[in-house]
Amino acid sequence: MITMKDIILEGHPVLEQVANEVMLPPNKEDKETLENMLQFLKNSQDEEIAEKYNLRAGVGLAAPQLGISKRMFAVHFEDLQGNTYSDGYFNPKIISHSVEKTFLANGEGCLSVNREVPGYVSRYARVTISATNLAGQQVKLRLRGYAAVVFQHELDHLNGIMFYDHIDKQDPFLIPENAKPCDLQGDK
Ligand code: K2U
Ligand code: NI
């Protein structure tokens, strides 16, 4: 079972590396790791289990956050339209994206960052992502709003990028160019 002690923190070199492609079809070890990552997210959102094992709630987890430099992450959340995203993805890739940007009005956090880092994190408002899911299917996901933000946050981890790398150093609350807050757009 993955717990917080397994999650490495900012400054660890693996979080700053570009992770390696996963050989497909995934071997038993990679599949089990990704399944355990998805289970961690479910546990972290279950009040009793989270309390018992002192888990921080998470909606996404990327393998580099476990010190595993492989291109895979899991997500578990519901978006503002009530769509549920709960799966693991191997070798995810943004194949197209909007010009428009978005950002979470309350900023972002990270399970690998045990501090508040205030500020707007600029993201693409809409992204199309191709990946292989836990069932081994080649999938193409068209995402917008909160879902687009979560997937981009996790994809960044596969490229050694932390959410605060996107925050304007001079003015953290500068509205990113051509961007609208996600919480408003979530209903589109
Ligand atoms: O990758 C991670 O560290 C997991 C992040 C993902 C994330 C953070 C901010 C915005 C989008 C995705 C954790 O889920 S941060 C904790 C959290 C928990 C519930 C809702 C939002 C953020
Ligand atoms: Ni993170």
Side-chain angles (χ1 to χ4, degrees), residues 133-171:
N133 68 10
L134 262 174
Q137 298 156 322
Q138 181 66 33
V139 293
K140 191 150 83 169
L141 306 163
R142 289 172 187 77
L143 308 168
R144 62 180 56 218
Y146 184 63
V149 170
V150 174
F151 276 73
Q152 290 174 80
H153 179 111
E154 299 312 325
L155 253 170
D156 269 355
H157 279 306
L158 307 186
N159 295 320
I161 298 165
M162 303 295 281
F163 74 91
Y164 46 68
D165 297 334
H166 297 284
I167 296 174
D168 188 287
K169 305 268 178 298
Q170 266 61 47
D171 174 3

Side-chain angles (χ1 to χ4, degrees), residues 41 45 56-62 65 104 107-112 146 149-151 153-154 157:
L41 295 174
Q45 293 175 32
R56 257 185 78 190
V59 295
L61 184 69
Q65 294 181 273
L104 290 182
E108 296 189 13
C110 182
L111 294 173
S112 296
Y146 184 63
V149 170
V150 174
F151 276 73
H153 179 111
E154 299 312 325
H157 279 306

Side-chain angles (χ1 to χ4, degrees), residues 96-110:
S96 69
H97 62 76
S98 59
V99 171
E100 292 79 17
K101 298 288 187 66
T102 189
F103 59 95
L104 290 182
N106 296 330
E108 296 189 13
C110 182

